[in-house]
């Protein structure tokens, strides 16, 4: 359900990368296109999901491989209309 909803919003262009995510993308050499690709093709990693009390919402973890065969985790959330890309993380194999 999370992956389906996230993918639908990406396809519709209804996503926002937070400032935090943009900073981490730059630091970790992960492009927005990498993150969007993993959202559409990856899998949910439930053990990294987390409820954020300060926002009263869940953050969900999606992992997968980029087109360059690099494994990343994308943390996402939802507001009323958009997918929020919270952060991106390199996964060391």
């Amino acid at each position: 359900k999370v992956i389906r909803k996230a993918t639908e919003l990406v396809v519709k262009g209804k996503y926002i990368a937070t400032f935090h995510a943009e900073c981490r993308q730059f630091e970790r050499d992960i492009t927005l296109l990498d993150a969007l690709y993993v959202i559409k093709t990856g899998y949910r990693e439930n053990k990294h999901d987390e409820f954020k009390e300060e926002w009263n919402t869940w953050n969900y973890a999606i992992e997968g491989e980029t087109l360059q065969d690099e494994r990343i985790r994308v943390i996402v959330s939802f507001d009323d209309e958009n997918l929020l890309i919270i952060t991106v993380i390199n996964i060391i194999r």
Side-chain angles (χ1 to χ4, degrees):
K1 182 177 171 184
V2 169
I3 298 272
R4 184 180 313 126
K5 183 177 178 182
T7 298
E8 288 173 5
L9 290 170
V10 167
V11 169
K12 291 178 181 177
K14 297 183 69 84
Y15 57 86
I16 298 168
T18 64
F19 179 72
H20 176 83
E22 290 176 345
C23 291
R24 295 304 174 265
Q25 287 171 307
F26 178 76
E27 290 171 2
R28 297 170 178 164
D29 198 26
I30 298 171
T31 68
L32 178 59
L33 291 177
D34 289 333
L36 297 175
Y37 182 78
V38 166
I39 290 167
K40 292 190 289 186
T41 63
Y43 60 92
R44 181 138 163 241
E45 188 61 78
N46 299 25
K47 69 181 179 184
H48 294 290
D49 291 354
E50 183 178 12
F51 185 76
K52 294 297 198 174
E53 287 191 30
E54 63 268 31
W55 301 104
N56 196 36
T57 192
W58 280 91
N59 283 359
Y60 302 99
I62 302 172
E63 288 191 19
E65 303 222 352
T66 68
L67 290 170
Q68 298 79 29
D69 296 324
E70 296 169 344
R71 180 162 291 282
I72 66 170
R73 180 180 305 134
V74 183
I75 305 299
V76 301
S77 190
F78 301 94
D79 69 9
D80 292 336
E81 299 179 11
N82 299 292
L83 173 72
L84 305 175
I85 300 170
I86 305 299
T87 196
V88 295
I89 304 160
N90 298 96
I91 305 296
I92 308 301
R93 301 186 217 202

